[in-house]
Amino acid sequence: MNVEHHLQAETLAAYAAGSLPAAMALVVACHTEACAHCRNELRHAEALGGQMLERLPVKPVSTSARQAMLSMLDNQPEPATSPRPAPAAQQAPLNEGVLLPRALKNLLQIDHYNQLKWRKLAPGIEKVELPLTEGRSFMLRIGAGLAMPVHTHKASELTLIMQGGYHDALGSFNVGDIADLDGSVEHQPVAFDDEPCICLAGMDGGLKFRGLIPTLMKPFIGL
Ligand SMILES: [Zn+2]
């Protein structure tokens, strides 16, 4: 897996501090499971956070946030002891038909993608809503070559590509890539032509669509 788009330092710092909403923490857990680069960055963020904790008063994490985080992290992979990234062949595969990332398996209590209960939203677009109460989290399956409506974000959104990929104004996003976007980004992801795009999204606010048709589609799509 050749990951090009990674988590931002601010996101990793928030994750290390336990202050990301569970919906976004889930996406971080799934990405870091397969991305040696971000696992390494996370270790630095945790070390830095540990030093800061000794000096600063810290806002306590809510009990529900802590519980959600602990249950997801229960079976996180052991931190790599080697400074070198693991060879691609040893990283967790994310393709449909094979095992889900561990954090998703733990959350949904299923093992494989084909056990997901997809709900049709629009022609060629399906969704699985994930049972997290902090923020919003869902998986989307977008048919080959299909475009999502143009939208901006009220707040932050993390999107992890799990199969296929998409392109938008920010570039091409392939399996393992993560789009770590704040509220200022407006984009229109278009799935690659050759296969459906499956992605995992976590956000701390809703999406804001632009234009009449997207406005009409919003309740229909349920985003
Ligand atoms: Zn990464």
Side-chain angles (χ1 to χ4, degrees):
M1 189 181 304
N2 188 17
V3 178
E4 280 183 44
H5 300 275
H6 296 280
L7 289 156
Q8 297 191 29
E10 295 81 5
T11 307
L12 281 165
Y15 180 76
S19 59
L20 270 191
M24 298 178 74
L26 171 70
V27 187
V28 173
C30 290
H31 177 73
T32 51
E33 186 175 325
C35 179
H37 171 81
C38 284
R39 274 203 306 277
N40 201 33
E41 294 296 307
L42 182 58
R43 278 199 295 277
H44 290 311
E46 285 167 345
L48 193 63
Q51 290 168 14
M52 289 175 71
L53 271 177
E54 291 167 8
R55 296 175 203 161
L56 296 172
V58 174
K59 187 178 155 200
V61 182
S62 75
T63 308
S64 62
R66 200 194 317 273
Q67 288 299 339
M69 186 75 77
L70 286 176
S71 68
M72 283 196 297
L73 299 183
D74 240 0
N75 290 313
Q76 276 289 285
E78 292 294 318
T81 50
S82 162
R84 289 187 306 152
Q90 291 178 16
Q91 292 181 8
L94 290 171
N95 293 326
E96 188 175 26
V98 297
L99 294 174
L100 288 160
R102 285 183 227 197
L104 261 178
K105 282 170 63 178
N106 294 343
L107 177 68
L108 299 174
Q109 297 293 302
I110 60 173
D111 289 327
H112 294 87
Y113 281 80
N114 54 19
Q115 294 171 277
L116 290 164
K117 303 235 181 314
W118 293 102
R119 190 168 66 85
K120 191 170 180 179
L121 294 171
I125 301 178
E126 295 165 295
K127 183 170 84 162
V128 178
E129 195 82 39
L130 301 178
L132 289 172
T133 52
E134 285 185 352
R136 293 201 49 223
S137 180
F138 50 85
M139 294 177 69
L140 276 183
R141 182 156 64 185
I142 304 161
L146 287 181
M148 294 292 288
V150 179
H151 60 273
T152 54
H153 305 265
K154 285 180 199 158
S156 301
E157 178 192 291
L158 298 175
T159 304
L160 173 65
I161 308 302
M162 309 181 85
Q163 180 192 292
Y166 70 74
H167 54 87
D168 63 11
L170 301 175
S172 287
F173 290 77
N174 293 280
V175 171
D177 279 336
I178 194 156
D180 187 349
L181 306 178
D182 65 23
S184 65
V185 176
E186 178 177 279
H187 69 150
Q188 181 175 36
V190 180
F192 293 156
D193 283 334
D194 52 349
E195 63 178 327
C197 173
I198 294 180
C199 55
L200 168 68
M203 57 189 71
D204 59 4
L207 300 180
K208 197 165 81 183
F209 289 91
R210 190 187 69 175
L212 177 62
I213 290 173
T215 302
L216 292 172
M217 272 181 86
K218 190 177 171 186
F220 181 51
I221 288 186
L223 289 176

